[in-house]
Amino acid sequence: MNKQVFLIALILGLQLSLTASAQQSESTSPQAQREKITLRVPNFARGLVEKWVSEYRKAKPSVDFQFVSGKSQTPENSISLTTDGDAIQVARYAVLPVTTKGSQAEQLLGSHALNAKKLKNLFFVKDDFDEERKETKAEKQLHIFTGNSQQSASRLYAAHFHQELADYKGKKIQGDDSFLNTAISRDPLGVTLNSLSNIFDLESRQLRPSLALLPLDIDKQGRHVLSEGRLDDIIQLLEDEAYAEIPVGNVGLAYNHATPVLNDFVRWVLAKGVEYVHQYGLLSLSPKQLAAQQQRIAQKDLAQK
């Protein structure tokens, strides 16, 4: 009887030992290792990147993503969505001037179509070399609000007009560009500029009810599209035409090209993720631009070998 009890205990012990060994082997195998990607994304593109993550993980469920703010603690596994020119470009964004609907600012500017020169005069302080320039009545009365963050649309707007952030008139708002809409809503004379994703409701695809676009002195078709205020029509217009009055900049992904999981994700974005950019208020790259970015990745991969 004692021998039988001993034999059963021995068999159970061996089974438990084998099970524990198998579990340990499985947990330390490369297949079981979960890869992690840390993402730093400005709010104007947060929805787009969340969509990318959701779709990418359907094919690669072993990859975990974490959204962070500030500097990542794991830069080797970090991707930043940025407007810097040296990043791998994945989309474009456009910036338009706006005010609050029904405000004094809209009344002052509503019947004055603004060309590039007038826009520059409206938003930026007088150039020391432009002695002949005189401020209009509207310019003197309006209050300008611009963003001051690293990824603010105000940076693109200033660069487009060959200006610096310090050259803006008025008050600079810290934090996300969505705060600019709040700032002008509290000031009847407030005017600002913002990217399409902050100006339009991404669900209804219409201009946010509280906002009004400033009239621009562009061609008849362009004026009509802007006056209709439909996001998808404006995206199509700006993909087809370039206007001196409407800055368009690049959105890219900056990351360590020596990290395979990051390379795989960015390749997926260029192959499939770009299909979603319109949905989130961004412009697509042209086929030629897209091919150029894919070639850049290939060249960087060769440089790492």
Side-chain angles (χ1 to χ4, degrees):
M1 183 70 178
N2 290 336
K3 290 182 178 180
Q4 290 179 337
V5 172
F6 175 76
L7 182 60
I8 292 171
L10 180 61
I11 292 172
L12 289 173
L14 287 172
Q15 288 178 334
L16 289 172
S17 177
L18 289 171
T19 301
S21 177
Q23 289 176 340
Q24 182 179 6
S25 175
E26 181 180 351
S27 65
T28 57
S29 67
Q31 291 78 9
Q33 296 285 339
R34 298 191 67 83
E35 297 182 284
K36 296 182 179 179
I37 296 178
T38 300
L39 295 167
R40 287 178 292 173
V41 182
N43 282 345
F44 79 87
R46 176 72 179 245
L48 172 62
V49 179
E50 287 177 345
K51 179 66 173 179
W52 286 347
V53 168
S54 174
E55 295 299 319
Y56 180 78
R57 292 197 76 243
K58 291 177 182 179
K60 299 291 180 69
S62 63
V63 181
D64 291 331
F65 291 84
Q66 180 185 15
F67 287 87
V68 298
S69 58
K71 291 185 177 181
S72 171
Q73 299 300 311
T74 55
E76 69 278 2
N77 267 36
S78 175
I79 297 179
S80 296
L81 190 137
T82 175
T83 55
D84 294 342
D86 57 349
I88 297 296
Q89 298 169 19
V90 294
R92 295 181 295 155
Y93 71 110
V95 183
L96 291 172
V98 295
T99 188
T100 304
K101 189 174 182 179
S103 66
Q104 289 177 253
E106 184 184 21
Q107 295 172 15
L108 283 169
L109 292 171
S111 60
H112 298 81
L114 303 172
N115 58 24
K117 183 178 180 180
K118 291 179 179 178
L119 286 168
K120 181 178 177 180
N121 291 346
L122 173 63
F123 282 98
F124 300 98
V125 295
K126 180 180 177 181
D127 193 313
D128 291 337
F129 300 100
D130 191 2
E131 297 180 358
E132 296 181 359
R133 173 184 160 188
K134 294 182 179 180
E135 283 192 317
T136 64
K137 179 181 178 181
E139 288 174 27
K140 291 179 180 179
Q141 295 184 64
L142 294 173
H143 300 158
I144 305 299
F145 293 90
T146 51
N148 201 33
S149 70
Q150 187 63 35
Q151 304 299 333
S152 174
S154 298
R155 291 184 178 272
L156 171 64
Y157 210 82
H160 180 79
F161 289 103
H162 307 290
Q163 302 291 306
E164 303 291 337
L165 281 181
D167 297 330
Y168 276 113
K169 297 177 183 177
K171 187 174 182 179
K172 296 176 177 60
I173 304 298
Q174 299 290 336
D176 186 72
D177 275 358
S178 60
F179 297 147
L180 293 170
N181 294 343
T182 304
I184 62 173
S185 72
R186 296 172 177 173
D187 188 334
L189 291 168
V191 174
T192 190
L193 46 91
N194 223 322
S195 57
L196 297 184
S197 57
N198 281 325
I199 294 173
F200 287 84
D201 184 318
L202 298 180
E203 294 295 327
S204 69
R205 317 301 285 176
Q206 300 291 321
L207 190 68
R208 293 179 184 273
S210 62
L211 298 179
L213 296 177
L214 299 191
L216 300 180
D217 187 12
I218 57 178
D219 60 54
K220 183 177 180 180
Q221 172 65 11
R223 292 198 305 273
H224 173 73
V225 170
L226 290 182
S227 67
E228 290 292 314
R230 291 192 290 264
L231 176 57
D232 295 298
D233 291 343
I234 292 174
I235 289 174
Q236 186 65 58
L237 172 72
L238 298 180
E239 287 183 345
D240 293 341
E241 303 290 342
Y243 295 100
E245 293 76 13
I246 306 177
V248 175
N250 295 315
V251 176
L253 296 174
Y255 64 101
N256 183 351
H257 291 262
T259 307
V261 65
L262 304 185
N263 263 330
D264 187 74
F265 177 69
V266 176
R267 281 198 184 91
W268 179 90
V269 169
L270 287 174
K272 297 182 179 180
V274 291
E275 298 174 5
Y276 304 104
V277 299
H278 286 180
Q279 184 178 341
Y280 294 91
L282 298 175
L283 282 62
S284 297
L285 298 177
S286 69
K288 184 177 179 179
Q289 290 172 320
L290 193 59
Q293 298 312 302
Q294 292 168 333
Q295 182 63 26
R296 284 183 65 195
I297 291 182
Q299 290 173 346
K300 288 181 179 291
D301 287 349
L302 286 175
Q304 294 294 332
K305 295 180 179 179

